[in-house]
């Protein structure tokens, strides 16, 4: 890689001596501000996208927290501190946060559609909203997959522990039987044969793990609809969404001169999604820009 | 450092927290970027929109722009125009040229108003497409015309220089300084080889680490012309990737098919690239093995997720998807490849099975039992007279017949064949092959040309896949140091190979694409092949097969100006005696 910035400055200073039509008296700062005023909705879109991004990151954090909680439950680590949540509580939090993100994505999609309807599909803010929306939908899906994987790993770990405990009491259980047992939720399968300290301990462990698994499956069941909604979301967008070439080529050629006019913004009526999305905050921020 | 790292790094280097940027590309840089980065990669580095520099763009004056462009007049002028008027299109500019910017254009930039808002200006030396892990492209589909059109090309010198520069950036990125060889015969091979040598040396002056390492001294770059093996690009192949691209309509590597997902039935678009792990696993497999493999993998997957289904097939998949949407990614992948394989087989069973038999016999000069072909004309006439077979299929058969004859065929005979086949409108495809140096008319141009002697192959193959591309022989010979120096001369005498050197036990190579596992860049010799005029899918496959056979000691890379399908090759040939499209 070759850096040629210094060379450029050289050429610049060499040519400063020449009188050229290219040089005028407008300073750079003036030029920048002489440009058409920035689109206030652009700021709003990017802000919202960033917020959603942070929410998705928060879900990822909660998944890590869940991993720890699951691990602790599995290894019977002494009673967790007051501030630490158990798996079910975290599961509920993840579900609610996921649903909230999905809602915000739907709103972003509506906003994008509104922008497209009013300004056409080659409007930069509309396209930026599109790109962000697609990327965030993907990110949500990834984080949901990560949640599923975490729970499935835990399920597998519980299953293995049950198997080991059974071996301890001399009961070898095959894969199929194990699954059936876990699915049926029969907790007292061995109660009649439990004798002696080791066996008793093994039984308690098994009972614990089975309870774990049942709760886990309930969590997954509870979040099934969210999985489905996210899958529908990404399916709608098509498979080649990540392809940069496709993203660039999809943009329409601008046929007429398009100059962004600030007064366009004031013609939007009260019922439009912009205002719903940005409610009270954005206009103040926009004035700063 | 692999192209992905370079391109991603470039965008990352100007990333500022809380600030988004616009990325502006031209056609070439867009293709390069697209082949190694995804939208989410660049979004993660602060790019919120990608624009085509040649389209009229609305100003986004609150954001800075990254210009990733080729140092050519069209792109540079568009850049300058963005900052010509009182209102700037963007807040500032960070410029990354794919290659060295010529002085004239550089000065133009320096003298323009844009210079006042340029915050970065670098040349990144990546002027090629890393199409696959072992395949590169220079993205110039007009190359066959540029080299072999009937009308002399007055820009040929400039074109060869550009090509050489692109190949040099490839070696630069790979940190290779290979010994350059070319196939003796066509003048262009030697010219290109010579030009590459000069460019390569210039790059090494700037980047001395190229070619460093004991084993790197054995690396070679081979320049070969398309005419050297005209059979491989026209033969019907039965390995997944080659077959799919030949028989189905796959544009820009996107396969579209009808399916019922979670929602209603609709078109699904899938990108066939190396991010699809299943595609990477299946693409070189024979079609007979593909469906078997996918079904097996799908069954294993379903069992592991306790999805009860007795017969994992295409219809069940949409049911599974509804029941377990968290596995949408995997299930979609299986669905795609089952559909793709089925589509290939459907087209094949139509009429191709008989055709392939004839083709293989002609290409090999013998039937599946090894008995030499006695009456080739007898096998091809029924094909030519069959109205259900398309014109291009017939042309492929006629060409294979001609190559089978080894010394061309008489003009009268050719005329008769064309008449039987009723392909008068496309007959120039056949004669235009003479421009590539092929022996078509007995006693005519190229009368002395013959196809090279083949290596003996003992590996077992499917009956309809006996042919191995000629380049495979060349690859194996080069690696074994058996490639004849008279037929494949060196531009520069290479350093003598120390035969007492211990062979590299396990060389690992940097990968173009996102690294799934950390790359330990270790030394190991590479064989890089550049084909003038287009490379076929079967030849691409050969690079992987030969690499695997060396147990990882060597890595073979192959590439060209563009990647051929039989149809695109015939279309290219058709245009050779025509006036070029001024819009191209």
């Amino acid at each position: 890689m070759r850096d040629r910035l210094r060379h450029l400055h050289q050429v610049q200073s060499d040519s400063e001596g020449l009188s050229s039509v290219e040089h005028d008296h407008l300073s750079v700062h003036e030029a920048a501000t002489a440009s058409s005023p920035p689109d206030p909705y652009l700021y709003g879109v990017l802000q919202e996208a960033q917020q959603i991004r942070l929410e998705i990151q928060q879900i990822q954090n909660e998944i890590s927290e869940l991993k720890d909680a699951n691990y602790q439950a599995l290894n019977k680590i002494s009673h967790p501190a007051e501030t630490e949540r158990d798996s079910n509580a975290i599961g509920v939090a993840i579900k609610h946060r996921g649903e909230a993100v999905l809602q915000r994505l739907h709103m972003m999609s509506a906003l994008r559609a509104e922008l497209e309807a009013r300004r056409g599909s080659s409007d930069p803010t509309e396209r930026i909203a599109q790109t962000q929306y697609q990327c965030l939908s993907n990110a949500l899906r990834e984080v949901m997959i990560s949640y599923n994987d975490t729970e499935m790993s835990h399920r597998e770990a519980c299953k293995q522990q049950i198997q080991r405990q059974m071996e301890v009491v001399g009961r070898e259980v095959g894969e199929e039987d194990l699954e059936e047992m876990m699915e049926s939720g029969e907790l007292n399968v061995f109660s009649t044969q439990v004798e002696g300290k080791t066996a008793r301990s093994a039984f308690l462990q098994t009972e614990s793990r089975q309870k774990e698994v049942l709760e886990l499956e309930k969590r997954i069941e509870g979040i099934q609809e969210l999985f489905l909604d996210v899958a529908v979301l990404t399916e709608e967008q098509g498979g080649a969404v990540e392809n940069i070439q496709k993203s660039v080529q999809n943009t329409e050629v601008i046929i007429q001169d398009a100059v962004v006019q600030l007064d366009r913004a004031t013609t939007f009526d009260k019922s439009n999604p912009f205002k719903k999305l940005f409610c009270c905050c954005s206009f103040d921020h926009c004035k700063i820009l | 450092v692999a192209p992905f790292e370079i391109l991603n790094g470039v965008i990352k280097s100007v990333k500022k927290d809380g600030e988004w940027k616009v990325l502006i590309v031209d056609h070439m840089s867009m293709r390069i970027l697209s082949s190694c980065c995804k939208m989410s990669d660049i979004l993660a580095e602060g790019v919120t929109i990608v624009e085509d520099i040649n389209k009229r763009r609305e100003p986004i004056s609150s954001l800075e722009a990254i210009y990733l462009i080729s140092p050519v007049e069209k792109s540079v002028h568009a850049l300058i125009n963005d900052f010509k008027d009182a209102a700037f299109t963007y807040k500032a500019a960070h410029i990354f040229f794919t290659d060295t910017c010529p002085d004239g254009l550089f000065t133009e930039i320096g003298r323009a108003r844009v210079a006042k808002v340029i915050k970065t200006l670098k040349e990144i030396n990546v002027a090629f497409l890393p199409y696959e892990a072992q395949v590169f492209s220079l993205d110039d589909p007009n190359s066959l015309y540029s080299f072999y059109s009937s009308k002399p090309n007055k820009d040929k010198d400039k074109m060869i220089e550009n090509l050489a520069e692109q190949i040099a950036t490839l070696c630069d990125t790979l940190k290779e300084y290979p010994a350059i060889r070319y196939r003796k015969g066509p003048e262009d091979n030697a010219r290109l080889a010579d030009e590459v040598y000069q460019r390569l040396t210039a790059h090494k002056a700037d980047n001395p680490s190229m070619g460093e390492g004991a084993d790197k001294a054995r690396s070679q770059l081979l320049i070969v012309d398309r005419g050297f093996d005209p059979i491989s690009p026209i033969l019907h192949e039965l390995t997944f990737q080659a077959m799919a691209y030949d028989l189905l309509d796959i544009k820009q590597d996107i396969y579209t098919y009808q399916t019922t997902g979670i929602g209603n039935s609709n078109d699904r678009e899938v990108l066939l690239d190396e991010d699809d792990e299943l595609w990477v696993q299946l693409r070189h497999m024979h079609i007979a093995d593909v469906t078997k493999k996918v079904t097996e993998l799908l069954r294993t997957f379903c069992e592991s997720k306790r999805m009860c289904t007795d017969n994992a097939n295409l219809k069940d998949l949409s049911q599974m998807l509804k029941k377990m949407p968290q596995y949408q990614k995997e299930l979609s992948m299986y669905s795609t490849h089952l559909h793709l394989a089925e589509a290939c087989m459907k087209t094949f069973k139509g009429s191709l099975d008989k055709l392939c038999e004839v083709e293989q016999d002609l290409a090999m000069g013998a039937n599946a039992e090894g008995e030499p072909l006695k009456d080739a004309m007898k096998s091809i006439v029924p094909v030519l007279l069959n109205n259900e077979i398309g014109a291009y299929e017939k042309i492929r058969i006629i060409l294979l017949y001609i190559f089978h004859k080894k010394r061309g065929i008489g003009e009268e005979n050719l005329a008769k064949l064309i008449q039987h086949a009723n392909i008068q409108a496309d007959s120039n495809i056949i004669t235009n092959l003479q421009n590539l140096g092929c022996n078509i008319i007995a006693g005519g141009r190229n009368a002395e040309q013959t196809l090279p002697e083949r290596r003996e192959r003992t590996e077992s193959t499917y009956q309809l896949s006996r042919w191995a591309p000629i380049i495979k022989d060349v690859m194996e010979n080069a690696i074994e140091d058996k490639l004849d120096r008279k037929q494949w001369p060196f531009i520069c005498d290479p350093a003598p190979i120390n035969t007492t050197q211990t062979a590299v036990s396990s060389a690992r190579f940097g990968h173009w694409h996102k690294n799934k596992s950390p790359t330990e860049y270790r030394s190991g010799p590479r064989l890089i092949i550049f084909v003038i005029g287009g490379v076929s899918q079967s030849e691409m496959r050969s690079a992987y097969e030969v690499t695997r056979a060396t147990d990882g000691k060597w890595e073979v890379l192959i590439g060209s100006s563009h990647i051929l399908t039989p149809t695109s090759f015939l279309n290219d040939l058709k245009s050779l005696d025509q006036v070029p499209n001024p819009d191209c």
Side-chain angles (χ1 to χ4, degrees):
Chain A
M1 197 159 322
R2 214 176 313 155
D3 193 333
R4 297 192 68 184
L5 198 60
R6 222 175 329 138
H7 189 187
L8 180 79
H9 292 154
Q10 233 176 337
V11 174
Q12 262 183 298
S13 54
D14 285 347
S15 64
E16 231 123 64
L18 309 163
S19 71
S20 146
V21 202
E22 311 278 5
H23 290 275
D24 51 23
H25 300 295
L26 262 187
S27 72
V28 169
H29 174 73
E30 283 169 20
T33 47
S35 48
S36 39
D39 180 7
Y41 300 105
L42 177 60
Y43 179 81
V45 164
L46 290 175
Q47 267 293 87
E48 176 65 4
Q50 192 55 18
Q51 293 303 315
I52 296 177
R53 193 162 273 114
L54 289 173
E55 281 298 291
I56 293 176
Q57 179 55 48
Q58 189 51 27
I59 297 177
Q60 191 58 52
N61 294 342
E62 283 172 339
I63 292 171
S64 300
E65 201 190 327
L66 178 67
K67 256 195 209 129
D68 285 340
N70 281 343
Y71 180 80
Q72 283 176 15
L74 193 65
N75 293 284
K76 272 199 319 176
I77 294 185
S78 56
H79 213 68
E82 293 299 315
T83 48
E84 285 174 24
R85 306 185 279 185
D86 77 348
S87 302
N88 284 332
I90 304 171
V92 165
I94 290 176
K95 177 177 169 190
H96 286 160
R97 208 180 291 272
E99 286 167 345
V101 169
L102 187 64
Q103 259 311 100
R104 288 172 90 159
L105 285 174
H106 284 322
M107 285 183 69
M108 186 171 242
S109 177
L111 181 148
R112 187 212 60 80
E114 182 77 26
L115 274 168
E116 184 180 16
R118 290 174 191 267
R119 296 183 182 181
S121 58
S122 36
D123 175 70
T125 307
E126 186 269 331
R127 290 173 45 229
I128 285 173
Q130 172 83 315
T131 315
Q132 292 289 346
Y133 169 70
Q134 283 169 349
C135 188
L136 291 167
S137 302
N138 227 34
L140 180 60
R141 180 170 80 155
E142 289 302 309
V143 92
M144 293 310 297
I145 290 174
S146 172
Y147 169 70
N148 187 61
D149 287 345
T150 303
E151 296 277 45
M152 289 301 113
S153 299
H154 183 58
R155 186 182 190 280
E156 197 54 37
C158 289
K159 202 168 103 180
Q160 281 174 14
Q161 245 212 27
I162 293 176
Q163 201 166 36
R164 273 202 301 273
Q165 294 301 341
M166 306 272 230
E167 283 167 16
V168 160
V169 293
R171 273 281 292 260
E172 298 234 346
V173 197
E175 183 82 19
E176 293 267 330
D177 292 334
L178 196 57
E179 281 294 342
E180 247 182 66
M181 208 181 73
M182 297 212 294
E183 245 148 64
S184 68
E186 299 262 307
L187 293 178
N188 54 359
V189 167
F190 303 107
S191 54
T192 50
Q193 292 180 318
V194 174
E195 272 172 28
K197 217 160 131 196
T198 322
R200 182 106 197 119
S201 155
F203 168 70
L204 286 173
Q205 281 274 21
T206 306
E207 194 180 43
S208 252
R209 295 293 86 74
Q210 276 178 305
K211 185 156 164 278
E212 281 284 310
V213 171
L214 281 176
E215 290 187 349
L216 185 152
E217 306 221 312
K218 249 186 36 211
R219 289 199 292 273
I220 292 282
E221 215 182 311
I223 208 169
Q224 202 61 14
E225 204 180 314
L226 182 56
F227 279 134
L228 200 65
D229 289 339
V230 172
V232 168
L233 188 73
T234 44
E235 189 178 84
E236 274 166 4
Q237 292 171 23
V241 137
E242 280 278 44
N243 185 217
I244 293 177
Q245 175 160 341
K246 205 146 197 294
S247 176
V248 175
Q249 293 186 334
N250 274 343
T251 66
E252 278 172 27
V253 179
I254 304 172
I255 8 179
Q256 73 269 27
D257 238 333
V259 179
V260 179
Q261 287 162 33
L262 191 58
D263 14 72
R264 267 206 253 165
T266 61
T267 63
F268 292 136
D269 65 25
K270 272 202 162 80
S271 67
N272 77 53
F274 295 109
K275 297 210 169 158
K276 286 202 192 119
L277 184 64
F278 300 135
C279 45
C280 50
C281 46
S282 59
F283 284 105
D284 290 327
H285 286 147
C286 293
K287 282 187 189 130
I288 295 170
L289 269 181
Chain B
V1 187
F4 168 78
E5 263 93 23
I6 296 176
L7 291 170
N8 208 48
V10 142
I11 298 172
K12 200 177 189 150
S13 69
V14 296
K15 178 182 182 185
K16 226 200 255 168
D17 267 334
E19 263 185 43
W20 291 96
K21 291 193 173 58
V22 180
L23 174 63
I24 319 225
V25 293
D26 59 21
H27 185 82
M28 180 64 172
S29 64
M30 181 265 290
R31 298 269 294 152
I32 297 173
L33 185 69
S34 199
S35 59
C36 46
C37 297
K38 300 283 178 215
M39 282 305 293
S40 48
D41 293 330
I42 60 178
L43 249 113
E45 304 305 344
V47 167
T48 190
I49 189 175
V50 187
E51 301 263 47
D52 179 342
I53 203 173
N54 293 312
K55 290 205 175 124
R56 295 222 0 229
R57 290 159 280 123
E58 288 209 31
I60 312 177
S61 52
S62 54
L63 300 183
E64 296 186 351
I66 300 173
Y67 287 83
L68 176 64
I69 52 179
S70 339
V72 297
E73 196 177 280
K74 196 171 178 193
S75 300
V76 170
H77 286 178
L79 162 70
I80 292 175
N81 276 342
D82 281 350
F83 299 87
K84 192 177 47 142
D85 303 321
F88 284 171
T89 315
Y90 308 107
K91 198 158 118 188
H94 302 267
I95 306 175
F96 296 95
F97 284 121
T98 55
D99 202 353
T100 315
C101 183
D103 290 336
L105 290 175
F106 195 85
T107 312
E108 275 190 60
I109 297 173
R111 292 200 183 142
R113 292 182 71 217
V114 60
K116 297 184 204 263
V117 289
I118 292 179
K119 289 183 166 176
T120 313
L121 181 53
K122 291 192 172 140
E123 291 162 348
I124 64 173
N125 286 335
V126 179
F128 61 93
L129 257 69
Y131 183 70
E132 284 180 7
Q134 289 172 236
V135 180
F136 63 92
S137 162
L138 303 186
D139 200 37
D140 182 13
N142 295 322
S143 191
L144 196 75
Y145 186 88
S146 305
F147 273 94
Y148 303 117
S149 75
S150 305
K151 321 236 173 313
N153 180 3
K154 46 190 170 62
D155 293 321
K156 202 182 222 180
D157 280 340
K158 190 90 205 0
M159 182 196 62
I160 291 186
E161 280 170 25
N162 287 340
L163 213 58
E165 180 57 29
Q166 287 182 284
I167 298 173
T169 67
L170 169 74
C171 296
D172 193 325
T173 307
L174 292 171
K175 292 222 193 328
E176 292 282 348
Y177 187 67
I180 304 175
R181 302 173 79 164
Y182 60 95
R183 181 176 93 93
K184 195 167 168 80
E187 196 186 283
D188 288 333
N189 294 1
R191 268 168 88 186
L192 180 59
D194 198 68
E195 196 65 42
V196 172
Y197 176 66
Q198 291 186 35
R199 297 302 170 119
L200 207 58
T201 309
H203 273 256
K204 186 160 165 91
D206 280 331
N207 184 5
S209 67
M210 280 165 69
E212 238 168 43
D215 275 305
K216 292 295 181 191
R218 295 159 76 199
S219 292
Q220 291 182 24
L221 166 65
L222 268 50
I223 310 269
V224 63
D225 54 304
R226 182 67 267 161
F228 140 89
D229 176 3
I231 294 179
S232 296
I234 61 178
L235 209 59
H236 278 95
E237 286 283 336
L238 298 177
T239 51
F240 203 26
Q241 179 183 37
M243 193 175 184
Y245 276 75
D246 184 5
L247 304 181
L248 310 174
D249 187 24
I250 298 177
K251 289 200 179 67
Q252 290 171 9
D253 305 314
I254 295 178
Y255 171 56
T256 310
Y257 65 103
Q258 276 270 319
T259 185
T260 310
I262 297 176
N264 299 320
S265 177
N266 57 8
D267 272 350
R268 183 182 293 162
E269 286 182 334
V270 181
L271 185 62
L272 297 172
D273 72 349
E274 295 190 324
D275 270 342
D276 181 338
E277 291 153 358
L278 193 52
W279 173 246
V280 174
Q281 230 185 322
L282 301 171
R283 66 185 167 186
H284 299 142
M285 280 175 94
H286 192 277
I287 193 74
D289 298 327
V290 170
T291 312
K292 220 188 302 165
K293 185 90 178 132
V294 183
T295 313
E296 175 196 304
L297 287 170
L298 179 55
R299 188 167 293 130
T300 312
F301 180 78
C302 291
E303 275 167 14
S304 74
K305 308 295 175 197
R306 294 168 301 126
M307 277 190 258
C308 328
T309 173
D310 289 316
N311 237 342
N313 60 34
L314 290 170
K315 292 179 190 65
D316 279 348
L317 274 177
S318 59
Q319 278 302 99
M320 279 185 244
L321 205 55
K322 288 188 179 93
K323 263 201 287 187
M324 295 199 143
Q326 55 266 55
Y327 298 116
Q328 179 195 39
K329 252 168 111 171
E330 291 93 332
L331 291 173
S332 292
M333 200 169 62
Y334 292 118
S335 171
T336 297
H337 294 291
L338 282 173
H339 269 100
L340 192 54
E342 193 184 74
C344 287
M345 284 311 285
K346 211 158 131 204
T347 319
F348 178 72
K349 284 192 179 122
S351 55
L352 283 182
D353 42 2
K354 278 273 126 218
L355 210 65
C356 288
E357 204 182 309
V358 175
E359 283 187 0
Q360 289 291 315
D361 288 353
L362 288 170
M364 301 303 290
N367 65 12
E369 280 75 47
E371 296 161 357
L373 209 55
K374 284 189 206 75
D375 189 353
M377 185 65 85
K378 201 160 121 201
S379 20
I380 73 168
V381 167
V383 173
L384 301 183
L385 294 173
N386 186 345
N387 287 327
E388 316 233 307
I389 295 182
Y392 272 24
E393 268 71 49
K394 291 181 180 174
I395 290 185
R396 287 155 82 165
I397 288 278
I398 292 176
L399 285 172
L400 288 168
Y401 174 77
I402 295 173
F403 297 133
H404 166 69
K405 285 294 173 196
K406 300 216 192 295
R407 293 189 204 289
I409 63 172
E411 281 197 77
E412 274 180 32
N413 270 345
L414 179 58
K416 232 185 273 175
L417 289 175
I418 291 172
Q419 200 177 31
H420 285 322
N422 200 13
I423 48 133
Q424 290 84 343
D426 298 316
S427 60
N428 62 340
I429 293 177
I430 299 171
T431 43
N432 282 350
L433 263 162
Q434 293 176 108
N435 292 18
L436 272 61
C438 299
N439 194 353
I440 302 288
I441 307 284
R445 288 165 70 181
N446 316 318
E448 299 308 309
Q449 296 305 318
T450 49
L451 292 172
E453 283 293 307
R454 302 306 309 270
R455 263 175 83 113
E456 246 207 56
R457 295 197 173 273
T458 50
E459 57 244 32
S460 66
T461 58
Y462 281 89
Q463 276 194 7
L464 299 181
S465 301
R466 288 174 276 144
W467 171 264
I470 305 179
I471 201 71
K472 191 170 181 184
D473 291 1
V474 175
M475 289 171 184
E476 290 168 344
N477 286 337
I479 286 174
E480 292 166 22
D481 198 24
K482 289 198 195 119
L483 199 60
D484 185 290
R485 289 195 184 203
K486 284 200 219 71
Q487 290 173 17
W488 296 83
F490 284 86
I491 283 285
C492 202
D493 274 325
I497 293 175
N498 186 351
T499 47
T500 60
Q501 257 176 359
T502 48
V504 181
S505 54
S506 159
R508 281 211 261 159
F509 303 92
H511 285 282
W512 300 128
H513 295 257
K514 262 199 284 195
N515 299 311
K516 307 272 158 114
S517 55
T519 327
E520 256 179 64
Y521 196 79
R522 289 212 245 148
S523 68
R526 277 194 173 99
L527 177 62
I528 306 170
I529 315 239
F530 182 78
V531 186
I532 299 177
V535 64
S536 76
Q537 315 260 356
S538 51
E539 291 168 328
M540 284 156 51
R541 186 187 68 225
S542 300
Y544 294 91
E545 290 171 345
V546 172
T547 300
R548 209 173 304 130
T550 70
D551 237 349
K553 291 195 183 63
W554 279 78
E555 185 179 55
V556 182
L557 295 182
I558 191 167
S560 178
S561 48
H562 60 302
I563 294 172
L564 302 168
T565 62
T567 305
S568 76
F569 183 52
L570 295 186
N571 285 337
D572 284 350
L573 287 171
K574 194 163 170 56
S575 70
L576 288 185
D577 61 349
Q578 281 152 28
V579 179
N581 185 344
D583 295 329
C584 282

